[in-house]
């Protein structure tokens, strides 16, 4: 099974922690959570990141900038705009980006 590294970015710490639990409940999936936009760029540069998951509370301008940054990073980083909907929706979002992971 392919391992996936997530960077989950948002402003609500409780939601971030919940997303981390949901993600890490899947075999081979690991999540780093971050509520400080400024630190996200450095984290992406220094670490393997497969998916940047954008959660609630972020400014629209930051969302645009981080998407461009990921696209131009030279890495194959996928970005998911995730604003809720439960673990089923999150899995479907991931599987749509990585269809080979579907059970």
């Amino acid at each position: 099974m392919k391992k996936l590294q997530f960077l989950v970015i948002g402003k609500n710490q409780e939601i971030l922690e919940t997303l981390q639990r949901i993600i890490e409940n899947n075999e081979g999936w690991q999540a780093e959570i971050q509520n400080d936009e400024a630190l996200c760029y450095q984290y992406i540069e220094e670490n393997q990141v497969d998916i940047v998951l954008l959660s609630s509370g972020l400014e629209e301008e930051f969302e645009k900038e981080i998407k461009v940054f990921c696209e131009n990073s030279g890495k194959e980083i996928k970005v998911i705009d995730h604003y809720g909907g439960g673990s089923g929706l999150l899995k479907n979002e991931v599987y749509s980006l990585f269809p080979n992971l579907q059970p």
Side-chain angles (χ1 to χ4, degrees):
M1 164 163 283
K2 177 175 171 52
K3 295 184 181 220
L4 291 178
Q5 299 287 65
F6 291 73
L7 174 59
V8 184
I9 309 168
K11 288 298 184 180
N12 184 306
Q13 190 65 29
E14 187 176 332
I15 292 173
L16 292 176
E17 290 169 3
T18 299
L19 287 168
Q20 184 176 33
R21 278 193 306 277
I22 290 169
I23 290 167
E24 292 182 349
N25 212 21
N26 294 279
E27 184 179 339
W29 295 10
Q30 293 294 313
E32 175 72 24
I33 57 175
Q34 185 59 253
N35 60 14
D36 184 339
E37 292 103 328
L39 297 177
C40 295
Y41 300 100
Q42 181 178 355
Y43 184 87
I44 291 168
E45 287 177 342
E46 295 176 357
N47 296 277
Q48 172 62 36
V49 176
D50 298 300
I51 297 174
V52 171
L53 188 93
L54 302 176
S55 185
S56 60
L58 300 170
E59 296 291 328
E60 185 177 341
E61 187 63 31
F62 170 75
E63 290 184 6
K64 289 177 185 176
E65 289 173 4
I66 198 72
K67 287 175 183 178
V68 169
F69 182 82
C70 289
E71 188 176 305
N72 295 330
S73 70
K75 302 177 180 183
E76 293 187 34
I77 301 172
K78 311 286 188 193
V79 179
I80 296 175
D81 295 307
H82 182 79
Y83 303 109
S87 60
L89 176 61
L90 178 58
K91 281 185 179 180
N92 285 335
E93 291 170 332
V94 172
Y95 291 150
S96 72
L97 298 173
F98 297 93
N100 59 319
L101 294 180
Q102 291 188 36

